[in-house]
Amino acid sequence: EYTKFSIIYYWINSLGQKTVIYSKLENVRIPPGEENKTAALSYDHRIILLENTSPTGTYYCEVKWERSVPITKMGKGVFVLARGTGYIDTSYGWEILITLTVLLAALSIATTALLLWKRK
């Protein structure tokens, strides 16, 4: 009863909207002598973008077994942040550090000059 299941890949965007990107019904054959053993199967899926959509969001995989009492298992999800080719990082870390260093150096020079002038 666990050999027939559905695999569903979907993503949830920043607005909380769910979009199914792939689904497939599987019927796995069990070889003789392998009954009542745990099996792990890998499924790879390549994301193909829909036109005019952003790929940024949380992606999930869900498996459903249709039985007398349906069972659904869902992954924890993977967040993907996509950036366009023209993206420019807005971090100003180096600029702030250089500005602060120049400001402190100028104040240090001015203070030293003032102390030397007062001393004379």
Side-chain angles (χ1 to χ4, degrees):
E1 68 180 315
Y2 290 101
T3 60
K4 196 172 191 178
F5 54 91
S6 298
I7 300 172
I8 302 134
Y9 292 99
Y10 62 91
W11 71 287
I12 297 177
N13 66 15
S14 60
L15 301 174
Q17 298 165 327
K18 179 179 175 178
T19 304
V20 174
I21 53 178
Y22 179 78
S23 65
K24 183 178 182 182
L25 180 63
E26 286 287 332
N27 193 1
V28 179
R29 301 200 185 276
I30 301 173
E34 295 294 315
E35 298 91 352
N36 295 324
K37 290 186 179 178
T38 301
L41 302 173
S42 294
Y43 291 89
D44 293 331
H45 180 70
R46 182 178 302 264
I47 297 169
I48 299 171
L49 293 178
L50 300 172
E51 194 172 320
N52 298 326
T53 61
S54 168
T56 296
T58 306
Y59 289 77
Y60 295 92
C61 176
E62 184 175 278
V63 180
K64 290 183 180 182
W65 288 270
E66 297 297 333
R67 315 172 333 138
S68 56
V69 177
I71 298 174
T72 300
K73 295 289 181 181
M74 186 173 93
K76 294 178 183 178
V78 174
F79 180 75
V80 174
L81 174 61
R83 295 180 174 174
T85 55
Y87 178 81
I88 299 173
D89 191 7
T90 57
S91 173
Y92 298 105
W94 282 107
E95 290 86 352
I96 292 171
L97 182 62
I98 291 170
T99 304
L100 187 60
T101 303
V102 169
L103 181 64
L104 289 175
L107 286 174
S108 177
I109 291 168
T111 305
T112 303
L114 184 63
L115 285 174
L116 289 174
W117 179 68
K118 286 269 189 174
R119 204 168 169 196
K120 290 183 179 184

